[in-house]
Amino acid sequence: MIQMQESFMWEQYQNETPVLQWYRRFALAYRRNSTKRRVQIVKAARFQETFTYESLRKAPMVLMRNAEFLKDSTEGSHYGFPISNKRKLGNYPFNCTRQAKSGFGGVVKCVLDRLKPGSINEWGGSDHSSEACVENVKRFLSAMDQMGLPKFRILDLEQGSMDTVVECLLSLKKHYNSNSGGENVHITSSMAKSGTQPRKRWKLLEVESSEGIDGSCGVSPGAQNTPVTREERRKSWTDSKFQRVLRSPVMSEPSAALIHHVGHKFQEVFQLKQGRYADIPAAKISEIMKSNSLDNAPTQSLLSVVNGILDESVERKNGEIPHRVACLLRKVVQEIERRIATQAEHLRTQNNLYKAREEKYQSRLRVLETLATGTSEETQVATNKFQHIKMEKTKMEEKKKLEEQDMVKLTKEKDHSDLEISTLKQELELAKQKYEQRCLQLETQAKGTTVELEVKLKELENQRCQQLARLTKEKDHSDLEISTLKQELELAKQKYEQRCLQLETQAMGTTVELEVKLKELEDQRCQQLARLTKEKDHSDLEISTLKQELELAKQKYEQHCLQLETQAMGTTVELEVKLKELEGILEDSRKNVQELKSFSESKAQIWNKKEHSYQNFVDLQFKSLQELRFTSQSIKQVVLHTQRLYSEEFSRLGVKLKGLADVAENYHMVLAENRKLYNEVQDLKGNIRVYCRIRPFLPGQNGKQTTIDFIGENGEMIIVNPLKQGKDSRRPFKFNKVYGPTATQEQVFLDTQPLVRSILDGYNVCIFAYGQTGSGKTYTMNGPDGASKEEWGVNFRALNDLFNISESRRNSFVYEIGVQIVEIYNEQVRDLLASDSSQKKYPFLFI
Ligand SMILES: Nc1ncnc2c1ncn2[C@@H]1O[C@H](COP(=O)(O)OP(=O)(O)OP(=O)(O)O)[C@@H](O)[C@H]1O
């Protein structure tokens, strides 16, 4: 930590916060091993109100490291002042004026001596008096004002705000940097004269401000004049620097071997000649500057060189540094600056690296989070399953409860039905009694009715007898009437006869009158007779009707009597039937009672059975619930196991798939290669190939002699012509191949098949047959009419082959196959598949 802090230079100083400034001071104090001073610094820092962990957290990375250190330093029992205790901090208001004034006083004094030599206020001979410091600061500010450089307020110092102060000092540094080296010499000399100890401008503030912390403005005059003390200080400073540099994790140091080799040389040249830098010959210095000694020298050596030169310059009293040494110093400082720049770059890259690592870790964290969410999802699924099982369990329990309730209900119902049965039995008993009473009543009623009927019958009998008696009386009366009427008629007849006789006698007396009168009388008598006969007829009729009526009445009475008798009989029968019915009903009721009894008994048995079965069912359910629980447990384990297996399988599958993908890729490559080679072979065989086929003799041509003399294996053929002599009699021919008369269709196709197949790779192929009429072109290309598969010609076989291949490559390729058949005859091209005659001739019109 300390080494880190010590490596901060002017450029970084402007970014420092009070905390960092404090730390810088602390680091220097630490380096000087002054516990008292450290405690003092820690106290000072603790009392700053802005100094909280929160501000530390927001600080840059280096500051954070400081903060860690600070934490360690302050929280430990070492100092016993926990800085986070704000309450305590409030009790100690920080008065930075004293520290600031006294610390900063030294800086101001030195700078003022350079700006305005001899204007330093040294009241009372004490450099450390507050008044002298304030006066010096004021003078410094006026000097800055005169130079037109930005300044700060004394109030800033009092409030401890170092920003404006640092800015002021930086502008001053820039101002001097822009000046030439000669001026440096002058300033250095003037500073040396004034008794101060300037080393290097950009180190000035660091050293002097650190020196000013404890109120001692730079090195005390007495100490300056003590060489041993100065030497010791220089040595200790060099050692500490050396240690720091060696331990620095960010310094871009050369390798250990190189340090050993070159560093040794460097030390030899410089360190061994401490105090004699001015004596080094210019040639040696220029050699060192030209060579890469500086590049390879350790930083510690470089710093010691700088220190040595500066110390030597102090020792020399006049403060002058030879030009060559100044150049060397510049070179060394440049090298140190370069290293610091590399260091800064290194820090930046490390920072980037840390950032990248942080991002990586964050992405890992995200992955872990997603995994965690995945796990939580799985857990969710498992919990859901568990909930489901729980629900099922509760359902089962509810079911069980319901069944128990059902059981209770059923037992209640059973009791209820038992009650009902008993009430029914009672009712049945009552009904039975009622029926018996009713039967008795009916029997009594029937008896009563029978008696009534008998009485009625008797009455009817009496009535009938009375009616009969009346009718007989009436008959007698009418008989009497008839007899009286007959007597009257006899009397009337007799009277008429007597009258007739009288009249005859009278007529006799009087003839004409009588005869007339007789006639009249006769007429009257005839009329009377007629009337009397009529009346007699009428009375006869009446008598006959009366007789008939009487007969009818008699019959009616008889019928009525018969009816009454039959009614009485029917009623008796009905009553008997009713009686029988009632007896039957009674019997049925008895039977019903018996049946009800048996039914209730059987129902009770059924209920008992049901109860038993429900009990069994409940037991079974309970068992199955137990089994279900056990099964769910085992399923859970199986699921977990399966998940494990699944992930393993998945990874294995991935590996296999990868292998398979590689193999597939290789396969495709090999396939492509094969195709290329195949087509190359086809090309090598020749783009145009001529095959000759010799047709066998047709039936009926067997007697003829062949002209084929020889057929070679490699397409040679000799034809003989017996009509010619000598050389012309035997003519050799050469083809790609010659098929003899016995060659099959398949053999012919086998040679053309590779060519046909190259169509699928995008090659154009044409196969045509040529020959005289009847030589077998159609036979070779198509085959004979109604050809079997063995007799298929080239066309059929080629198409069949193409279809088969396209089918087998269905998953990889899609081929479109079309067929066109044309005829070229007499230089006319005809489409043989066209149905329309207008489209048959070339050029074809495709629609
Ligand atoms: N290799 C063979 N084996 C058996 N019979 C064959 C063979 N070649 C041709 N033939 C028969 O020879 C006869 C003539 O053949 P084809 O019709 O194929 O001749 P072509 O050259 O097509 O004649 P054209 O030019 O007149 O159409 C047919 O009856 C055919 O069956």
Side-chain angles (χ1 to χ4, degrees), residues 88-132:
K88 277 189 182 175
L89 292 178
N91 294 338
Y92 297 90
F94 175 60
N95 181 4
C96 78
T97 317
R98 197 176 64 77
Q99 283 96 343
K101 276 178 197 166
S102 57
F104 191 67
V107 180
V108 169
K109 205 176 133 192
C110 295
V111 177
L112 194 61
D113 193 38
R114 284 168 63 197
L115 294 174
K116 282 186 172 182
S119 62
I120 303 162
N121 191 346
E122 295 183 4
W123 289 351
S126 167
D127 289 351
H128 316 303
S129 70
S130 177
E131 291 77 15

Side-chain angles (χ1 to χ4, degrees), residues 764-814:
N764 292 324
V765 177
C766 172
I767 302 165
F768 76 93
Y770 171 81
Q772 70 187 73
T773 304
S775 58
K777 299 181 293 288
T778 313
Y779 185 90
T780 304
M781 296 307 284
N782 279 359
D785 289 339
S788 62
K789 205 173 175 182
E790 283 75 38
E791 292 171 330
W792 275 357
V794 171
N795 290 344
F796 286 101
R797 284 173 192 272
L799 283 170
N800 189 46
D801 196 39
L802 289 178
F803 280 125
N804 282 339
I805 292 169
S806 70
E807 185 62 22
S808 67
R809 295 182 188 173
R810 191 180 55 217
N811 295 329
S812 322
F813 300 97
V814 177

Side-chain angles (χ1 to χ4, degrees), residues 1-2 5 17-24 26-27 38 41-48 50-57 62-76 78-84:
M1 296 301 295
I2 291 162
Q5 184 54 44
T17 60
V19 177
L20 198 55
Q21 287 170 26
W22 167 81
Y23 178 66
R24 290 182 70 257
F26 183 86
R38 273 185 301 190
I41 294 159
V42 169
K43 276 182 185 173
R46 278 181 59 248
F47 298 143
Q48 288 189 55
T50 52
F51 189 65
T52 57
Y53 272 121
E54 194 56 39
S55 65
L56 292 176
R57 212 166 288 138
V62 177
L63 202 56
M64 287 300 287
R65 287 181 194 155
N66 296 330
E68 284 299 314
F69 172 79
L70 185 71
K71 198 177 147 193
D72 294 338
S73 311
T74 51
E75 280 188 347
H78 204 61
Y79 301 114
F81 295 109
I83 60 164
S84 58

